[in-house]
Coordinates of all heavy atoms in Angstrom, one line a residue:
M1 N 0.8 -1.2 0.0 CA 0.0 0.0 0.0 C 0.9 1.2 0.0 O 1.8 1.4 0.8 CB -0.9 0.0 1.2 CG -2.0 -1.0 1.2 SD -3.3 -0.5 0.0 CE -4.0 0.9 0.8
K2 N 0.6 2.1 -0.9 CA 1.3 3.4 -1.0 C 0.6 4.5 -0.3 O 1.2 5.6 0.0 CB 1.6 3.8 -2.4 CG 2.8 3.0 -3.1 CD 3.9 4.0 -3.4 CE 5.1 3.3 -3.8 NZ 6.2 4.2 -4.2
A3 N -0.6 4.2 0.1 CA -1.4 5.3 0.8 C -0.9 5.3 2.3 O -1.3 4.5 3.1 CB -2.9 5.0 0.8
T4 N 0.0 6.2 2.5 CA 0.7 6.2 3.8 C 0.1 7.1 4.8 O -0.9 7.8 4.5 CB 2.2 6.7 3.6 OG1 2.1 8.0 3.0 CG2 2.9 5.7 2.7
I5 N 0.6 7.1 6.0 CA 0.1 8.0 7.0 C 0.3 9.5 6.5 O -0.6 10.3 6.8 CB 0.9 7.8 8.3 CG1 0.5 6.5 8.9 CG2 0.7 9.0 9.3 CD1 1.3 6.1 10.2
K6 N 1.3 9.8 5.8 CA 1.5 11.1 5.3 C 0.4 11.5 4.4 O -0.2 12.6 4.5 CB 2.8 11.1 4.4 CG 3.1 12.5 3.8 CD 4.3 12.4 2.9 CE 4.5 13.6 2.0 NZ 5.6 13.4 1.0
T7 N -0.1 10.6 3.6 CA -1.2 10.9 2.7 C -2.5 11.1 3.5 O -3.3 12.0 3.2 CB -1.4 9.7 1.7 OG1 -0.2 9.5 1.0 CG2 -2.5 10.0 0.8
F8 N -2.6 10.3 4.5 CA -3.8 10.4 5.4 C -3.9 11.7 6.1 O -4.9 12.4 6.1 CB -3.8 9.2 6.4 CG -5.1 9.2 7.2 CD1 -6.3 8.8 6.6 CD2 -5.0 9.5 8.5 CE1 -7.4 8.8 7.4 CE2 -6.2 9.4 9.3 CZ -7.4 9.1 8.7
C9 N -2.7 12.2 6.6 CA -2.7 13.4 7.3 C -3.0 14.6 6.3 O -3.7 15.5 6.7 CB -1.3 13.7 8.0 SG -1.0 12.6 9.3
F10 N -2.4 14.4 5.2 CA -2.7 15.4 4.1 C -4.2 15.5 3.8 O -4.8 16.6 3.7 CB -1.9 15.0 2.9 CG -2.3 15.7 1.6 CD1 -2.0 17.0 1.4 CD2 -3.1 15.1 0.7 CE1 -2.4 17.7 0.3 CE2 -3.5 15.8 -0.5 CZ -3.1 17.1 -0.6
A11 N -4.8 14.3 3.7 CA -6.2 14.3 3.5 C -7.0 15.0 4.6 O -8.0 15.7 4.3 CB -6.7 12.9 3.3
L12 N -6.6 14.8 5.8 CA -7.3 15.4 6.9 C -7.2 16.9 6.9 O -8.2 17.6 7.2 CB -6.8 14.8 8.2 CG -7.2 13.4 8.6 CD1 -6.6 13.0 9.9 CD2 -8.7 13.3 8.6
S13 N -6.0 17.4 6.5 CA -5.9 18.8 6.5 C -6.7 19.4 5.4 O -7.3 20.5 5.5 CB -4.4 19.2 6.3 OG -3.9 18.7 5.1
L14 N -6.8 18.7 4.3 CA -7.6 19.2 3.2 C -9.1 19.1 3.5 O -9.9 20.0 3.2 CB -7.3 18.4 1.9 CG -8.0 18.9 0.6 CD1 -7.7 20.3 0.4 CD2 -7.6 18.0 -0.6
L15 N -9.4 18.1 4.2 CA -10.8 18.0 4.7 C -11.2 19.1 5.6 O -12.2 19.8 5.4 CB -10.9 16.7 5.5 CG -12.3 16.2 6.0 CD1 -13.2 15.9 4.8 CD2 -12.2 15.0 6.9
A16 N -10.3 19.5 6.5 CA -10.6 20.7 7.4 C -10.8 21.9 6.6 O -11.6 22.8 6.8 CB -9.5 20.8 8.4
L17 N -9.9 22.1 5.6 CA -9.9 23.3 4.7 C -11.3 23.4 4.0 O -11.9 24.4 4.0 CB -8.8 23.2 3.7 CG -9.0 24.0 2.4 CD1 -8.7 25.5 2.8 CD2 -8.1 23.5 1.3
Q18 N -11.7 22.3 3.4 CA -12.9 22.4 2.6 C -14.2 22.5 3.4 O -15.1 23.1 2.9 CB -13.0 21.1 1.7 CG -11.8 21.1 0.7 CD -12.3 20.5 -0.6 OE1 -13.3 19.9 -0.7 NE2 -11.5 20.8 -1.7
M19 N -14.2 22.0 4.5 CA -15.4 22.1 5.3 C -15.6 23.5 5.8 O -16.7 24.0 5.9 CB -15.3 21.1 6.5 CG -15.4 19.7 6.1 SD -15.6 18.6 7.5 CE -14.2 19.0 8.5
G20 N -14.5 24.1 6.2 CA -14.6 25.4 6.8 C -15.2 25.3 8.2 O -15.7 24.3 8.6
A21 N -15.0 26.3 9.0 CA -15.4 26.2 10.5 C -16.8 26.0 10.6 O -17.2 25.1 11.4 CB -14.9 27.5 11.2
A22 N -17.7 26.7 9.9 CA -19.1 26.6 10.1 C -19.7 25.4 9.5 O -20.5 24.7 10.1 CB -19.8 27.8 9.5
Q23 N -19.2 25.0 8.3 CA -19.7 23.9 7.6 C -19.4 22.6 8.3 O -20.1 21.6 8.2 CB -19.2 23.9 6.2 CG -19.8 24.9 5.3 CD -19.3 24.9 3.9 OE1 -18.1 24.7 3.7 NE2 -20.2 25.0 2.9
A24 N -18.3 22.6 9.0 CA -17.8 21.4 9.7 C -18.9 20.8 10.6 O -19.1 19.6 10.7 CB -16.6 21.6 10.5
Q25 N -19.6 21.7 11.2 CA -20.7 21.2 12.2 C -21.9 20.8 11.4 O -22.7 20.0 12.0 CB -21.0 22.4 13.1 CG -19.9 22.8 14.0 CD -20.2 24.0 14.8 OE1 -21.1 24.7 14.6 NE2 -19.3 24.3 15.8
D26 N -22.0 21.2 10.2 CA -23.2 20.8 9.5 C -23.1 19.5 8.7 O -24.1 18.9 8.3 CB -23.6 21.9 8.5 CG -24.0 23.2 9.2 OD1 -24.5 23.1 10.4 OD2 -23.8 24.3 8.7
M27 N -21.8 19.1 8.4 CA -21.6 18.0 7.6 C -21.9 16.7 8.4 O -21.4 16.6 9.5 CB -20.2 18.0 7.1 CG -20.0 19.0 5.9 SD -18.3 18.8 5.2 CE -18.6 17.4 4.1
S28 N -22.5 15.8 7.8 CA -22.8 14.5 8.4 C -21.5 13.7 8.4 O -20.6 13.9 7.6 CB -23.9 13.8 7.7 OG -23.4 13.4 6.4
A29 N -21.5 12.6 9.2 CA -20.3 11.7 9.2 C -20.1 11.1 7.8 O -19.0 10.9 7.3 CB -20.5 10.7 10.2
A30 N -21.3 10.8 7.1 CA -21.2 10.2 5.8 C -20.6 11.2 4.8 O -19.8 10.8 3.9 CB -22.6 9.8 5.3
D31 N -20.9 12.5 4.9 CA -20.4 13.5 4.0 C -18.9 13.6 4.2 O -18.1 13.7 3.3 CB -21.0 14.8 4.3 CG -22.4 14.9 3.6 OD1 -22.7 14.0 2.8 OD2 -23.1 15.9 3.8
K32 N -18.5 13.6 5.5 CA -17.0 13.7 5.8 C -16.3 12.5 5.2 O -15.2 12.7 4.7 CB -16.8 13.8 7.3 CG -17.3 15.1 7.9 CD -17.1 15.1 9.4 CE -17.8 16.3 10.1 NZ -17.7 16.2 11.6
Q33 N -16.8 11.4 5.4 CA -16.2 10.2 4.8 C -16.1 10.2 3.3 O -15.1 9.9 2.7 CB -17.0 8.9 5.3 CG -16.4 7.6 4.8 CD -15.0 7.4 5.4 OE1 -14.7 7.8 6.5 NE2 -14.1 6.7 4.6
A34 N -17.2 10.7 2.7 CA -17.2 10.8 1.2 C -16.1 11.8 0.8 O -15.4 11.6 -0.2 CB -18.5 11.3 0.8
M35 N -16.0 12.9 1.5 CA -15.0 13.9 1.1 C -13.6 13.4 1.3 O -12.7 13.6 0.4 CB -15.2 15.2 1.9 CG -14.2 16.3 1.4 SD -14.5 17.9 2.2 CE -15.9 18.5 1.4
L36 N -13.4 12.7 2.4 CA -12.0 12.1 2.7 C -11.6 11.1 1.6 O -10.5 11.1 1.1 CB -12.1 11.4 4.0 CG -10.7 10.8 4.5 CD1 -9.7 11.9 4.7 CD2 -10.9 10.1 5.8
E37 N -12.6 10.3 1.1 CA -12.3 9.4 0.1 C -12.0 10.1 -1.3 O -11.1 9.7 -2.0 CB -13.5 8.4 -0.1 CG -13.6 7.4 1.0 CD -14.9 6.6 1.0 OE1 -15.6 6.7 0.0 OE2 -15.1 5.8 1.9
N38 N -12.7 11.2 -1.5 CA -12.5 11.9 -2.7 C -11.1 12.6 -2.7 O -10.4 12.6 -3.7 CB -13.5 13.1 -2.9 CG -14.9 12.5 -3.2 OD1 -15.0 11.4 -3.6 ND2 -15.9 13.4 -3.1
I39 N -10.7 13.0 -1.5 CA -9.3 13.6 -1.4 C -8.2 12.6 -1.7 O -7.3 12.8 -2.5 CB -9.1 14.2 0.0 CG1 -10.0 15.5 0.1 CG2 -7.7 14.6 0.2 CD1 -10.2 15.9 1.6
L40 N -8.4 11.4 -1.1 CA -7.4 10.4 -1.3 C -7.3 10.0 -2.7 O -6.3 9.7 -3.3 CB -7.7 9.2 -0.4 CG -7.5 9.5 1.1 CD1 -8.1 8.3 2.0 CD2 -6.1 9.7 1.5
Q41 N -8.5 9.9 -3.3 CA -8.6 9.5 -4.8 C -8.0 10.5 -5.7 O -7.4 10.2 -6.7 CB -10.0 9.2 -5.2 CG -10.5 7.9 -4.7 CD -11.9 7.6 -5.1 OE1 -12.3 7.9 -6.3 NE2 -12.8 7.2 -4.2
S42 N -8.2 11.8 -5.3 CA -7.7 12.9 -6.2 C -6.2 13.0 -6.2 O -5.6 13.5 -7.2 CB -8.4 14.2 -5.8 OG -7.9 14.6 -4.6
D43 N -5.5 12.6 -5.1 CA -4.1 12.7 -5.1 C -3.5 11.4 -5.8 O -3.0 10.5 -5.2 CB -3.5 12.7 -3.7 CG -2.0 12.9 -3.7 OD1 -1.4 13.3 -4.7 OD2 -1.4 12.6 -2.6
K44 N -3.6 11.5 -7.2 CA -3.4 10.3 -7.9 C -2.0 9.7 -7.9 O -1.7 8.5 -8.0 CB -3.8 10.5 -9.4 CG -5.3 10.6 -9.5 CD -5.7 10.9 -11.0 CE -7.2 11.0 -11.0 NZ -7.7 11.6 -12.3
N45 N -1.0 10.6 -7.7 CA 0.4 10.1 -7.7 C 0.9 10.0 -6.2 O 2.1 9.7 -6.0 CB 1.3 11.1 -8.5 CG 1.3 12.5 -7.9 OD1 0.6 12.8 -7.0 ND2 2.1 13.3 -8.5
N46 N 0.0 10.2 -5.3 CA 0.3 9.9 -3.8 C 1.6 10.7 -3.4 O 2.3 10.2 -2.6 CB 0.5 8.4 -3.6 CG -0.8 7.7 -3.4 OD1 -1.8 8.3 -2.9 ND2 -0.9 6.5 -3.9
D47 N 1.7 11.9 -3.9 CA 2.9 12.7 -3.4 C 2.5 13.6 -2.3 O 3.4 14.4 -1.8 CB 3.5 13.5 -4.6 CG 2.5 14.6 -5.1 OD1 1.3 14.6 -4.7 OD2 3.0 15.4 -5.9
G48 N 1.3 13.5 -1.8 CA 0.9 14.3 -0.6 C 0.6 15.8 -1.0 O 0.4 16.6 -0.1
A49 N 0.6 16.1 -2.3 CA 0.2 17.4 -2.7 C -0.9 17.3 -3.8 O -0.9 16.3 -4.5 CB 1.4 18.2 -3.2
I50 N -1.7 18.4 -3.9 CA -2.7 18.4 -5.0 C -2.3 19.3 -6.1 O -2.1 20.5 -5.8 CB -4.0 18.8 -4.4 CG1 -4.6 17.8 -3.4 CG2 -5.1 19.1 -5.5 CD1 -5.0 16.5 -4.0
S51 N -2.1 18.8 -7.3 CA -1.8 19.6 -8.4 C -3.0 20.2 -9.0 O -4.1 19.9 -8.5 CB -1.1 18.7 -9.5 OG -2.1 17.8 -10.0
R52 N -2.9 21.1 -9.9 CA -4.0 21.8 -10.5 C -5.0 20.8 -11.1 O -6.2 21.0 -11.0 CB -3.5 22.9 -11.5 CG -4.6 23.5 -12.3 CD -5.6 24.3 -11.5 NE -6.5 25.0 -12.4 CZ -7.5 24.4 -12.9 NH1 -7.7 23.1 -12.8 NH2 -8.4 25.1 -13.7
S53 N -4.5 19.8 -11.8 CA -5.4 18.9 -12.5 C -6.0 18.0 -11.4 O -7.2 17.6 -11.5 CB -4.6 18.0 -13.5 OG -3.6 17.3 -12.9
E54 N -5.3 17.6 -10.4 CA -5.8 16.8 -9.3 C -6.9 17.6 -8.6 O -7.9 17.0 -8.1 CB -4.7 16.4 -8.3 CG -3.8 15.3 -8.9 CD -2.6 15.0 -8.0 OE1 -2.3 15.8 -7.1 OE2 -2.0 14.0 -8.2
F55 N -6.7 18.9 -8.5 CA -7.7 19.8 -7.8 C -9.0 19.8 -8.5 O -10.1 19.7 -7.9 CB -7.1 21.2 -7.7 CG -8.0 22.1 -7.0 CD1 -8.1 22.1 -5.6 CD2 -8.6 23.1 -7.7 CE1 -8.9 23.0 -4.9 CE2 -9.4 24.1 -7.0 CZ -9.6 24.0 -5.6
E56 N -8.9 19.9 -9.8 CA -10.1 19.9 -10.6 C -10.9 18.6 -10.4 O -12.1 18.6 -10.3 CB -9.8 20.1 -12.1 CG -11.0 20.4 -12.9 CD -10.7 21.1 -14.2 OE1 -9.7 21.8 -14.3 OE2 -11.4 20.9 -15.2
T57 N -10.2 17.5 -10.4 CA -10.8 16.2 -10.2 C -11.5 16.2 -8.8 O -12.6 15.7 -8.7 CB -9.7 15.1 -10.2 OG1 -9.1 15.1 -11.5 CG2 -10.3 13.7 -10.0
L58 N -10.8 16.7 -7.8 CA -11.3 16.7 -6.5 C -12.6 17.5 -6.4 O -13.6 17.1 -5.8 CB -10.3 17.2 -5.5 CG -10.8 17.5 -4.1 CD1 -11.2 16.2 -3.4 CD2 -9.7 18.1 -3.2
I59 N -12.6 18.7 -7.0 CA -13.8 19.6 -7.0 C -15.0 18.9 -7.7 O -16.1 18.9 -7.2 CB -13.5 20.9 -7.7 CG1 -12.5 21.7 -6.9 CG2 -14.8 21.7 -7.9 CD1 -13.1 22.2 -5.5
K60 N -14.7 18.2 -8.8 CA -15.8 17.6 -9.5 C -16.4 16.4 -8.7 O -17.6 16.2 -8.7 CB -15.3 17.1 -10.9 CG -15.1 18.2 -11.9 CD -14.5 17.7 -13.2 CE -14.4 18.9 -14.2 NZ -13.7 18.5 -15.4
M61 N -15.5 15.7 -8.0 CA -16.0 14.6 -7.2 C -16.8 15.1 -6.0 O -17.9 14.6 -5.7 CB -14.8 13.7 -6.7 CG -14.2 12.8 -7.8 SD -13.1 11.6 -7.1 CE -11.7 12.6 -6.5
N62 N -16.3 16.2 -5.4 CA -17.0 16.7 -4.3 C -18.3 17.3 -4.7 O -19.3 17.3 -4.0 CB -16.1 17.8 -3.6 CG -15.1 17.2 -2.8 OD1 -15.0 16.1 -2.5 ND2 -14.1 18.1 -2.3
A63 N -18.3 17.9 -5.9 CA -19.6 18.5 -6.4 C -20.6 17.4 -6.7 O -21.8 17.6 -6.4 CB -19.3 19.3 -7.7
D64 N -20.2 16.3 -7.2 CA -21.1 15.2 -7.5 C -21.7 14.7 -6.2 O -22.8 14.3 -6.2 CB -20.3 14.1 -8.2 CG -20.1 14.4 -9.6 OD1 -20.7 15.3 -10.2 OD2 -19.2 13.7 -10.2
D65 N -20.9 14.8 -5.1 CA -21.4 14.4 -3.8 C -22.0 15.5 -3.0 O -22.4 15.3 -1.9 CB -20.3 13.8 -3.0 CG -19.8 12.5 -3.6 OD1 -20.5 11.8 -4.3 OD2 -18.6 12.1 -3.3
N66 N -22.1 16.7 -3.7 CA -22.7 17.9 -3.0 C -22.0 18.2 -1.7 O -22.7 18.4 -0.7 CB -24.2 17.7 -2.8 CG -24.9 19.0 -2.6 OD1 -24.5 20.0 -3.0 ND2 -26.0 19.0 -1.8
L67 N -20.7 18.3 -1.8 CA -19.9 18.5 -0.5 C -19.4 19.9 -0.6 O -18.8 20.4 -1.6 CB -18.7 17.5 -0.4 CG -19.2 16.1 -0.4 CD1 -17.9 15.2 -0.5 CD2 -19.9 15.8 0.9
G68 N -19.5 20.6 0.6 CA -18.9 21.9 0.7 C -19.3 22.9 -0.3 O -20.5 22.9 -0.8
R69 N -18.3 23.7 -0.8 CA -18.6 24.7 -1.8 C -18.2 24.2 -3.2 O -18.1 25.0 -4.2 CB -17.9 26.0 -1.5 CG -18.5 26.8 -0.4 CD -17.7 27.9 0.1 NE -16.6 27.5 0.9 CZ -15.7 28.3 1.5 NH1 -15.8 29.6 1.3 NH2 -14.8 27.8 2.3
A70 N -17.9 22.9 -3.3 CA -17.4 22.4 -4.6 C -18.4 22.6 -5.7 O -18.0 23.0 -6.9 CB -17.1 20.9 -4.4
A71 N -19.7 22.4 -5.5 CA -20.7 22.6 -6.5 C -20.6 24.0 -7.1 O -20.8 24.2 -8.3 CB -22.1 22.2 -6.0
M72 N -20.5 25.0 -6.2 CA -20.4 26.4 -6.7 C -19.2 26.6 -7.5 O -19.3 27.3 -8.6 CB -20.4 27.3 -5.4 CG -20.5 28.8 -5.8 SD -20.4 29.8 -4.3 CE -18.6 29.7 -4.0
V73 N -18.1 26.1 -7.1 CA -16.8 26.3 -7.8 C -17.0 25.6 -9.2 O -16.6 26.2 -10.2 CB -15.6 25.7 -7.1 CG1 -14.4 25.7 -7.9 CG2 -15.4 26.4 -5.7
K74 N -17.5 24.4 -9.2 CA -17.7 23.7 -10.5 C -18.6 24.5 -11.4 O -18.4 24.7 -12.6 CB -18.3 22.3 -10.2 CG -18.4 21.5 -11.5 CD -19.0 20.2 -11.2 CE -19.3 19.4 -12.5 NZ -20.1 18.2 -12.2
R75 N -19.8 25.0 -10.9 CA -20.8 25.7 -11.7 C -20.2 26.9 -12.3 O -20.5 27.3 -13.4 CB -22.0 26.0 -10.8 CG -23.2 26.6 -11.6 CD -24.4 26.6 -10.7 NE -24.3 27.4 -9.6 CZ -24.3 27.0 -8.3 NH1 -24.5 25.7 -8.1 NH2 -24.2 27.8 -7.3
M76 N -19.4 27.6 -11.5 CA -18.8 28.9 -12.0 C -17.5 28.6 -12.8 O -17.0 29.6 -13.4 CB -18.5 29.8 -10.8 CG -19.7 30.2 -10.0 SD -19.3 31.2 -8.5 CE -18.6 32.6 -9.3
G77 N -17.0 27.4 -12.8 CA -15.8 27.1 -13.5 C -14.6 27.8 -12.8 O -13.7 28.2 -13.5
A78 N -14.7 28.0 -11.5 CA -13.8 28.9 -10.8 C -12.6 28.1 -10.2 O -12.1 28.4 -9.1 CB -14.5 29.7 -9.7
Y79 N -12.2 27.1 -11.0 CA -11.1 26.2 -10.5 C -9.8 27.1 -10.3 O -9.1 26.9 -9.2 CB -10.8 25.1 -11.5 CG -12.0 24.2 -11.7 CD1 -12.7 24.3 -12.9 CD2 -12.4 23.3 -10.8 CE1 -13.8 23.5 -13.2 CE2 -13.5 22.5 -11.0 CZ -14.2 22.6 -12.2 OH -15.3 21.8 -12.5
D80 N -9.5 27.9 -11.2 CA -8.2 28.6 -11.1 C -8.3 29.6 -9.9 O -7.3 29.7 -9.2 CB -8.0 29.5 -12.4 CG -7.5 28.6 -13.5 OD1 -6.9 27.5 -13.3 OD2 -7.7 28.9 -14.7
A81 N -9.4 30.2 -9.7 CA -9.5 31.2 -8.6 C -9.4 30.4 -7.3 O -8.7 30.9 -6.4 CB -10.8 31.9 -8.7
A82 N -10.1 29.3 -7.2 CA -10.1 28.5 -5.9 C -8.7 28.0 -5.7 O -8.2 28.0 -4.6 CB -11.1 27.4 -6.0
F83 N -8.1 27.5 -6.7 CA -6.8 26.9 -6.6 C -5.8 28.0 -6.2 O -5.0 27.8 -5.3 CB -6.4 26.2 -7.9 CG -5.1 25.4 -7.8 CD1 -5.2 24.1 -7.5 CD2 -3.9 26.0 -8.0 CE1 -4.0 23.3 -7.4 CE2 -2.7 25.2 -7.9 CZ -2.8 23.9 -7.6
G84 N -5.8 29.1 -6.9 CA -4.9 30.2 -6.7 C -5.0 30.7 -5.3 O -4.0 31.2 -4.7
R85 N -6.2 30.7 -4.7 CA -6.3 31.2 -3.4 C -5.6 30.4 -2.3 O -5.2 30.8 -1.3 CB -7.9 31.3 -3.1 CG -8.2 32.4 -2.1 CD -9.7 32.5 -1.9 NE -10.0 32.8 -0.5 CZ -10.7 32.1 0.3 NH1 -11.2 31.0 -0.1 NH2 -10.8 32.4 1.5
I86 N -5.6 29.1 -2.6 CA -5.0 28.1 -1.7 C -3.5 28.0 -1.9 O -2.7 27.9 -1.0 CB -5.6 26.7 -1.8 CG1 -7.1 26.8 -1.7 CG2 -5.1 25.8 -0.8 CD1 -7.9 25.6 -2.0
D87 N -3.1 28.1 -3.2 CA -1.7 28.0 -3.6 C -0.9 29.3 -3.2 O -0.6 30.1 -4.1 CB -1.6 27.6 -5.1 CG -0.1 27.3 -5.5 OD1 0.7 27.2 -4.6 OD2 0.1 27.3 -6.7
G88 N -0.5 29.4 -2.0 CA 0.1 30.6 -1.5 C 1.4 31.0 -2.2 O 1.6 32.2 -2.5
N89 N 2.2 30.1 -2.5 CA 3.5 30.4 -3.2 C 3.4 30.3 -4.7 O 4.5 30.5 -5.4 CB 4.6 29.6 -2.6 CG 4.5 28.1 -2.9 OD1 3.5 27.7 -3.5 ND2 5.5 27.3 -2.5
G90 N 2.3 29.9 -5.2 CA 2.1 30.0 -6.7 C 2.9 28.9 -7.4 O 3.2 29.1 -8.6
D91 N 3.3 27.8 -6.8 CA 4.1 26.9 -7.5 C 3.3 25.8 -8.2 O 3.8 24.9 -8.8 CB 5.1 26.2 -6.6 CG 4.4 25.3 -5.5 OD1 3.2 25.3 -5.4 OD2 5.1 24.5 -4.8
G92 N 1.9 25.9 -8.1 CA 1.1 25.0 -8.9 C 0.7 23.7 -8.1 O 0.1 22.8 -8.7
F93 N 1.1 23.7 -6.8 CA 0.8 22.5 -6.0 C 0.2 23.0 -4.6 O 0.8 24.0 -4.1 CB 2.0 21.6 -5.8 CG 2.5 20.9 -7.0 CD1 3.5 21.5 -7.8 CD2 1.9 19.7 -7.4 CE1 3.9 20.9 -9.0 CE2 2.4 19.1 -8.6 CZ 3.4 19.7 -9.4
L94 N -0.8 22.3 -4.2 CA -1.3 22.6 -2.8 C -0.6 21.7 -1.8 O -0.9 20.5 -1.9 CB -2.8 22.4 -2.8 CG -3.6 23.2 -3.9 CD1 -5.1 23.0 -3.7 CD2 -3.2 24.7 -3.9
T95 N 0.2 22.3 -1.0 CA 0.8 21.5 0.1 C 0.0 21.5 1.3 O -0.9 22.2 1.5 CB 2.2 22.0 0.4 OG1 2.1 23.3 0.9 CG2 3.1 22.1 -0.9
Q96 N 0.4 20.6 2.3 CA -0.2 20.6 3.6 C -0.1 21.9 4.2 O -1.1 22.4 4.8 CB 0.4 19.5 4.4 CG 0.3 18.1 3.9 CD 0.9 17.1 4.9 OE1 0.7 17.3 6.1 NE2 1.5 16.1 4.3
E97 N 1.1 22.6 4.2 CA 1.3 23.9 4.8 C 0.3 24.9 4.3 O -0.3 25.7 5.1 CB 2.7 24.3 4.7 CG 3.7 23.5 5.4 CD 3.4 23.5 6.9 OE1 3.1 24.6 7.5 OE2 3.3 22.4 7.5
E98 N 0.2 24.9 3.0 CA -0.7 25.9 2.4 C -2.2 25.7 2.8 O -2.9 26.6 3.0 CB -0.6 25.9 0.9 CG 0.7 26.6 0.4 CD 1.1 26.3 -1.0 OE1 0.5 25.4 -1.6 OE2 1.9 27.0 -1.6
M99 N -2.6 24.4 2.8 CA -3.9 24.2 3.2 C -4.2 24.4 4.7 O -5.3 24.8 5.0 CB -4.3 22.7 2.8 CG -4.5 22.7 1.3 SD -5.0 21.1 0.7 CE -3.4 20.3 0.8
K100 N -3.2 24.2 5.5 CA -3.3 24.5 6.9 C -3.5 26.0 7.1 O -4.3 26.5 7.8 CB -2.1 24.1 7.7 CG -2.2 22.6 8.1 CD -0.9 22.2 8.8 CE -0.7 20.7 9.0 NZ 0.6 20.4 9.4
A101 N -2.7 26.8 6.3 CA -2.8 28.2 6.4 C -4.2 28.7 6.1 O -4.7 29.6 6.7 CB -1.7 28.9 5.5
L102 N -4.7 28.2 5.0 CA -6.1 28.6 4.6 C -7.1 28.1 5.6 O -8.0 28.9 5.9 CB -6.4 28.0 3.2 CG -7.7 28.6 2.6 CD1 -7.5 30.0 2.3 CD2 -8.0 27.8 1.3
A103 N -7.0 26.9 6.1 CA -7.9 26.4 7.0 C -8.0 27.2 8.3 O -9.0 27.3 9.0 CB -7.6 24.9 7.4
E104 N -6.8 27.8 8.6 CA -6.8 28.6 9.9 C -7.2 30.0 9.6 O -7.4 30.8 10.6 CB -5.3 28.6 10.4 CG -5.0 27.3 11.0 CD -3.5 27.1 11.2 OE1 -2.7 28.1 11.0 OE2 -3.0 26.0 11.5
E105 N -7.5 30.4 8.4 CA -8.0 31.7 8.1 C -9.5 31.8 8.5 O -10.2 30.9 8.3 CB -8.0 31.9 6.6 CG -7.0 32.9 6.1 CD -7.1 33.1 4.6 OE1 -8.2 32.9 4.0 OE2 -6.0 33.3 4.0
R106 N -9.8 32.8 9.2 CA -11.2 33.0 9.6 C -11.8 34.0 8.8 O -11.3 35.1 8.6 CB -11.3 33.4 11.1 CG -10.8 32.3 12.0 CD -11.6 31.0 11.8 NE -10.9 29.9 12.4 CZ -11.2 29.5 13.7 NH1 -12.0 30.1 14.4 NH2 -10.6 28.4 14.1
Q107 N -13.0 33.7 8.2 CA -13.7 34.6 7.4 C -14.7 35.4 8.2 O -15.3 34.9 9.1 CB -14.4 33.9 6.3 CG -13.4 33.2 5.3 CD -14.1 32.7 4.1 OE1 -15.3 32.7 4.0 NE2 -13.3 32.1 3.2
G108 N -14.8 36.7 7.9 CA -15.8 37.6 8.6 C -15.1 38.0 9.8 O -15.4 38.0 10.9
Ligands
CA201 CA1 -0.6 14.7 -6.1
CA202 CA1 2.1 25.9 -3.5

């Protein structure tokens, strides 16, 4: 198995990011599980980071499952905007650190 603890921790950080503080309380356990599975599946090369193409896959899977804000991003085709907002250093990959930074951002 190549799905290591590193990958799992990465998935959890992304999960926290996508749920957001308020949405976390509204998501059912089934929804959380579905999103976690989507995250693990979207990191196709298991490098612990989400590339731009992997991100689009993830958003589409989440949108199909009606998770978080993914449906809105998909409907608007706002992949670049959503990705760019998370990719703090602009290198084209979403790392754990970047997703933690965004997850810790409080809106409003
Ligand atoms: Ca990857
Ligand atoms: Ca980056």
